[in-house]
Amino acid sequence: MADCIFCKIAAGEIPSNKVYEDRQVVAFYDLDPQAPVHVLVIPKEHIASAQEIGPENSGVVAHIFEVIAELSRELGLEKGFRVVNNCGEDGMQSVQHLHFHLLGKRKMGWPPFPPER
Ligand code: DGP
């Protein structure tokens, strides 16, 4: 997809610090890390958001979670980790190409938002 920064990273047109790549997915370190380990796992195919997942493309999402489990072992996240998908405007998605944040090596907070007053 023209003008999609993650499509360009997937195609190698924009440099990134890749930790994993296969035919379907790429994983690379986030530019603005929110934890000592912060990796983004994306499909190479352009899927705009989690709202666009259906029977025709959900296979790559299952594969992404297999990759996440493998990466968690390779990156030393035996104590656990968090996977985050921000979707749409309310989800504060800033890059319109489906991606999963893999965050680890620190204790995470919950809930992930301040209580409403
Ligand atoms: P989200 O808010 O869920 O859409 O997260 C997008 C993430 O993508 C954000 O944490 C910063 C990261 N990001 C944006 N542009 C780039 C880039 O060019 N390279 C890398 N490595 N990360 C990027």
Side-chain angles (χ1 to χ4, degrees), residues 9 16-22 25-30 39-42 67-68 71 75 100 102:
I9 285 176
S16 68
N17 195 353
K18 286 183 189 167
V19 280
Y20 178 85
E21 179 166 13
D22 66 23
V25 314
V26 185
F28 52 95
Y29 285 99
D30 195 290
V39 166
L40 300 172
V41 189
I42 70 168
V67 169
I68 285 171
L71 280 175
L75 299 174
F100 294 88
L102 170 61

Side-chain angles (χ1 to χ4, degrees), residues 5-6 28-31 40 86 92-95 99 101:
I5 195 154
F6 284 0
F28 52 95
Y29 285 99
D30 195 290
L31 208 57
L40 300 172
N86 296 323
M92 301 290 283
Q93 180 179 359
S94 64
V95 176
H99 54 280
H101 299 255

Side-chain angles (χ1 to χ4, degrees), residues 1-16 18 21:
M1 169 108 165
D3 289 337
C4 170
I5 195 154
F6 284 0
C7 282
K8 288 183 177 161
I9 285 176
E13 292 166 12
I14 289 180
S16 68
K18 286 183 189 167
E21 179 166 13

